[in-house]
């Protein structure tokens, strides 16, 4: 750790505008990120290639101060993959073009090319940065960053800060896993199950602490899939921040942190320094279709009071009872936005398309990246940028008017949990219904939170719903998506296009951003289809995979695949999926279909 920190400091050049004694004025922080392949073995089980920065992995944990101007030059030296960079949770006021998601605000940065991200950090808190290229960050391109706040209301109540991440970890590389995940042999969309859990990109982490002191822990889940239960034996945690928003102090003995969420909490060390205590993080196995017997779903570290004392094995818990983040209160007391000017209804489902693979949908549309990144469509279509139809039929785009109170009602018609993230904002977590509550009913729902917690990533329960609200006061093109990276890859995303005509006046895209598009042959003007003459003509737009042929059911494919497996294993055919047995006609049509799919893919 010391080694990666010092190397990072060497590559970090801080030029203070106004002398060394005062941090009250903004600094310019210049970072040069060479993205390269590095070998790492964080779980002690397998050496594998990971994406490093300047030859290092774990990646540097960045440490800014509110007001800093951050300039990151991203040099793609991977050789065989494109890349991109997103600073998760930043509002990017006035710098939407620096946000990072490919297809939304920029093009892929091809191997051998560079792109500079230049923005000001004007919000305090616990954040993280990661690649926003399809499926890429779980291969290692992710790390925490902090924005210090000279006006933190909790300053004076803690002695030191401790940065910590948790994550899931895969032994195979994500591009290979994606191939078998999005495939007709996986018609139920079972996500790849991680091989292990990590704490701070390692296991058996020791966190030295001193008796009697109070520590401000900053925890980020940088994982691609699993939410985690987190606790410290013998110690309560007092939550004071979530996703960059200060909260009224909330004491708990367990936190649930979904992929992409952050918690800041205080822990007061005991006065007695004779015993060390396990810090445990446990992956939420309800997300996994199967839990392999060999999988250790937990990762353990220790609060170390005395390096010579034992590091005890954690006690096994019978149940998980984490703090409900919906009940948190923001420290600034901001009241509920009473009514929404625009209400956006998103019905989530998972289903198979015509290639037999499983996809994720909002309102029956699976997000497919447009030919032209949406920001560039905004900037090149004049007054028509106000008409959502120019952004295509496969992007779930919504135009928001200046300063509207916008509400997103999300109905989860799927049996899994999904952590949803909105770029460019934090939103009020107005309502979250319990598991199996079904769709939101505007005329019959439980009470809204009067002073709702705000955060940028909020989880919906299985077969249930949530309601979030925010004010459209940040012109930009902002991605809204599930932060389970498998589900983003299968299209669980929408795009909020906020005050596009104002955005046209605010944004100037730097030349190097256009250069990477040119190198990748991606057009940077016109509608979603790249049509600059008639922006209502979408004939060349990117389309999702076509639906299953009429009369053909996803159940047929599932049954076929599983009956093949059953036959292969020498078992009797099993009615695995759904209650009804499979008719012979359905089986024949499935066989024909699979044969065609195989012919197409070979
Ligand atoms: C976690 O890792 C980061 C980055 O290497 C490091 O800065 C930090 O000190 C580590 N935290 C602990 C508690 O070891
Ligand atoms: C952590 O400790 C456990 C138990 O001793 C061991 O099985 C595991 O390999 C260790 N992990 C690492 C990364 O060293
Ligand atoms: C990044 O790579 C370039 C080209 O190889 C090299 O000149 C530069 O020193 C590297 N920067 C860092 C911080 O390692
Ligand atoms: C981060 O920056 C703050 C303020 O500049 C400083 O006090 C702190 O020591 C730094 N922490 C690390 C881990 O570099
Ligand atoms: C890219 O290169 C790395 C490092 O050599 C290799 O492990 C990886 O499989 C390659 N990935 C692709 C998609 O070709
Ligand atoms: C970053 O942006 C600021 C504000 O627009 C500008 O003054 C500065 O020159 C930019 N720096 C770089 C390296 O592009
Ligand atoms: C944690 O908080 C609970 C509830 O307030 C309390 O009963 C318990 O004693 C506390 N535990 C510790 C270790 O302080
Ligand atoms: C530790 O000792 C201090 C000073 O004697 C006391 O104020 C505090 O309550 C003690 N803390 C705990 C957790 O017992
Ligand atoms: C992980 O922790 C949970 C909670 O204590 C426990 O139920 C489970 O058995 C643990 N798993 C392993 C492999 O130790
Ligand atoms: C959509 O367009 C982009 C950029 O023009 C292209 O690279 C990409 O492969 C297309 N995607 C799909 C799913 O058709
Ligand atoms: C957007 O354009 C389409 C196609 O010209 C038109 O039918 C529709 O009414 C327009 N919508 C708005 C809000 O202007
Ligand atoms: C309102 O919702 C509750 C809980 O789902 C349900 O029991 C009740 O029947 C509903 N009332 C009406 C009028 O629909
Ligand atoms: Cu999801």
């Amino acid at each position: 750790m010391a080694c990666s920190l010092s190397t990072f400091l060497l590559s970090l050049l801080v030029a203070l505008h106004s002398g060394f004694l005062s941090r009250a004025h903004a600094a310019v922080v210049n970072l040069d990120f060479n993205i390269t392949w590095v070998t790492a073995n964080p779980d002690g089980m397998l050496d594998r290639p990971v994406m490093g920065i300047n030859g290092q992995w774990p990646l540097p944990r960045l440490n800014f101060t509110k007001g800093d101007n951050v300039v990151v030059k991203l040099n793609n030296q991977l050789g065989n993959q494109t890349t991109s960079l997103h600073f998760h949770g930043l509002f990017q006021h006035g710098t939407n073009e620096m946000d990072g998601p490919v297809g939304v605000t920029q093009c892929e940065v091809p191997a051998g090319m560079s792109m500079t991200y230049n923005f000001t950090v004007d919000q305090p808190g616990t954040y993280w940065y990661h690649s926003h290229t399809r499926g890429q960050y779980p291969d290692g391109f992710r790390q925490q960053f902090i924005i210090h706040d000279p006006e933190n209301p909790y300053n004076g109540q803690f002695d030191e800060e401790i940065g910590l991440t948790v994550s899931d970890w895969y032994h195979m590389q994500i591009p290979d896993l994606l191939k078998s995940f999005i495939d007709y042999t996986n018609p139920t969309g079972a996500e790849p199950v991680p091989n292990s859990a990590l704490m701070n990109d390692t296991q058996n982490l020791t966190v030295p602490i001193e008796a009697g002191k109070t520590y401000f822990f900053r925890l980020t889940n940088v994982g691609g899939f699993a939410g985690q239960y987190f606790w410290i034996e013998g110690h309560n945690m007092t939550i004071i921040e979530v996703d960059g928003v200060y909260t009224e102090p909330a004491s708990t003995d367990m936190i649930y942190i979904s992929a992409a969420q952050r918690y800041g909490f205080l822990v007061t060390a005991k006065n007695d320094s004779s015993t060390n205590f396990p810090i445990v993080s446990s992956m939420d196995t309800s997300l996994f279709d199967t839990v392999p017997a060999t999988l250790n779903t937990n990762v353990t570290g220790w609060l170390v009071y005395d390096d010579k004392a034992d590091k005890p094995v954690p006690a096994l818990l019978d149940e998980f009872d984490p703090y409900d983040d919906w009940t948190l209160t923001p420290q600034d007391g901001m009241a509920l936005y009473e009514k929404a000017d625009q209400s956006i209804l998103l019905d989530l489902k998972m289903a198979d398309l015509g290639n037999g693979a499983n996809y994720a949908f909002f309102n029956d549309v699976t997000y497919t990246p447009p030919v032209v990144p949406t920001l560039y469509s905004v900037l090149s279509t004049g007054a028509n940028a106000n008409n959502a139809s120019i952004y295509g039929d496969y992007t779930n785009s919504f135009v928001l008017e200046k300063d509207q109170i916008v509400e997103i009602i999300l109905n989860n018609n799927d049996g899994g949990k999904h952590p949803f993230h909105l770029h460019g904002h934090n939103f009020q977590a107005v309502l979250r219904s319990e598991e199996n509550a079904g769709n939101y009913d505007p005329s019959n729902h439980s009470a809204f939170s009067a002073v709702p917690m705000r955060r940028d990533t909020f989880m919906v329960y299985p077969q249930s719903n949530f309601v979030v609200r925010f004010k459209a006061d940040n012109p930009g093109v902002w991605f809204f998506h599930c932060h389970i990276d498998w589900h983003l890859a299968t299209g669980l995303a929408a795009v909020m296009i906020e005050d596009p005509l104002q955005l046209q006046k605010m944004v100037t895209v730097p030349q190097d951003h256009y250069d990477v598009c040119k190198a990748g042959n991606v057009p940077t003007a016109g509608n979603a289809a790249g049509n600059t003459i008639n922006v209502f003509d979408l004939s060349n737009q990117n389309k999702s995979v076509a639906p299953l042929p009429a009369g053909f059911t996803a159940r047929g494919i599932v049954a076929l695949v599983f009956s093949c497996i059953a036959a292969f294993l020498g078992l009797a055919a099993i009615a695995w999926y759904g209650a009804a047995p499979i008719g012979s006609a359905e089986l024949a049509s499935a066989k024909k279909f699979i044969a065609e799919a195989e012919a197409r893919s070979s």
Side-chain angles (χ1 to χ4, degrees), residues 85-381:
L85 177 60
H86 169 58
F87 281 78
H88 182 118
L90 292 191
F91 300 146
Q92 296 286 7
H93 283 299
T95 47
N96 183 222
E97 73 282 14
M98 304 299 176
D99 193 42
V102 170
V104 182
T105 61
Q106 68 163 79
C107 300
E108 296 279 5
V109 181
M113 291 196 73
S114 299
M115 185 167 142
T116 297
Y117 296 83
N118 177 0
F119 52 86
T120 297
V121 290
D122 54 8
Q123 52 190 125
T126 308
Y127 300 91
W128 62 304
Y129 64 90
H130 61 84
S131 162
H132 223 297
T133 289
R134 178 184 171 88
Q136 198 167 64
Y137 81 76
D139 273 338
F141 191 171
R142 77 284 186 287
Q143 182 57 292
Q144 185 175 63
F145 77 93
I146 303 298
I147 306 173
H148 284 277
D149 182 8
E151 278 117 51
N152 178 349
Y154 293 99
N155 277 346
Q157 296 185 34
F158 58 89
D159 299 291
E160 280 175 44
E161 289 191 22
I162 296 177
L164 211 57
T165 63
V166 291
S167 77
D168 43 31
W169 190 247
Y170 291 92
H171 289 165
M172 282 176 70
Q173 292 181 43
I174 305 299
D176 297 329
L177 289 170
L178 274 171
K179 276 186 210 119
S180 44
F181 170 55
I182 308 177
D183 192 81
Y184 71 86
T185 56
N186 184 28
T188 62
E191 299 83 0
V193 176
N195 298 93
S196 51
L198 303 178
M199 188 180 290
N200 233 33
D201 289 329
T202 185
Q203 295 177 337
N204 309 316
L205 179 78
T206 54
V207 181
I209 60 162
E210 283 175 47
K213 282 193 171 175
T214 298
Y215 294 85
F216 180 13
F217 279 80
R218 295 170 172 278
L219 179 67
T220 302
N221 184 342
V222 299
F225 182 20
Q228 304 221 15
Y229 298 95
F230 179 96
W231 68 98
I232 303 176
E233 284 190 9
H235 296 71
N236 286 331
M237 304 172 275
T238 303
I239 299 169
I240 57 168
E241 182 222 324
V242 292
D243 298 357
V245 180
Y246 294 117
T247 70
E248 291 298 337
S251 178
T252 182
D253 57 8
M254 183 178 284
I255 285 169
Y256 183 95
I257 183 166
S258 78
Q261 287 184 329
R262 289 90 62 207
Y263 283 87
F265 54 86
L266 301 179
V267 173
T268 297
K270 297 178 186 299
N271 287 334
D272 167 11
S273 64
S274 62
T275 314
N276 299 324
F277 291 86
I279 308 171
V280 193
S281 201
S282 183
M283 294 191 288
D284 178 1
T285 55
S286 78
L287 295 161
F288 305 163
D289 285 53
T290 54
V291 185
T294 52
L295 174 64
N296 183 355
T297 55
N298 303 337
V299 58
T300 306
W302 285 274
L303 273 189
V304 176
Y305 286 80
D306 177 359
D307 198 34
K308 289 175 201 72
D310 270 3
K311 299 194 181 68
V313 171
L316 297 184
L317 306 183
D318 299 330
E319 54 163 11
F320 298 110
D321 186 18
Y323 196 91
D324 177 357
D325 63 313
W326 179 73
T327 66
L328 288 165
T329 307
Q331 198 254 354
D332 60 18
M334 188 208 258
L336 170 74
Y337 292 123
E338 285 294 344
K339 67 174 248 313
D341 302 309
Q342 178 170 190
S343 187
I344 294 173
L345 182 66
L346 297 176
D347 286 330
L348 181 172
K349 71 166 189 193
M350 303 284 191
D352 290 355
L353 286 177
N355 59 356
N358 195 262
Y359 290 84
F361 301 78
F362 276 144
N363 304 339
D364 296 321
V365 172
T366 183
Y367 176 85
T368 308
V371 172
V372 175
T374 303
L375 172 62
Y376 301 158
S377 289
V378 169
L379 300 180
S380 59
T381 51

Side-chain angles (χ1 to χ4, degrees), residues 12-76:
L12 168 71
L13 194 152
V14 178
L16 293 178
H17 275 323
S18 50
F20 286 93
L21 293 178
S22 166
R23 292 275 305 186
H25 295 276
V28 179
V29 182
N30 281 297
L31 297 164
D32 207 15
F33 278 5
N34 289 349
I35 311 301
T36 58
W37 292 105
V38 174
T39 300
N41 184 0
D43 63 4
M45 290 194 262
L46 185 78
D47 275 334
R48 52 151 292 177
V50 299
M51 290 175 194
I53 293 180
N54 300 337
Q56 296 280 321
W57 198 93
L59 304 186
R61 178 171 176 265
L62 304 179
N63 183 21
F64 306 129
T65 299
K66 198 173 150 189
D68 285 352
N69 174 203
V70 177
V71 181
V72 189
K73 190 169 179 221
L74 177 77
N75 308 305
N76 182 355

Side-chain angles (χ1 to χ4, degrees), residues 394-406:
Y394 298 91
T395 62
N396 291 310
S397 286
F398 297 87
V399 172
L400 316 181
E401 288 168 39
K402 178 179 160 54
D403 291 338
Q404 273 187 327
I405 303 303
V406 179

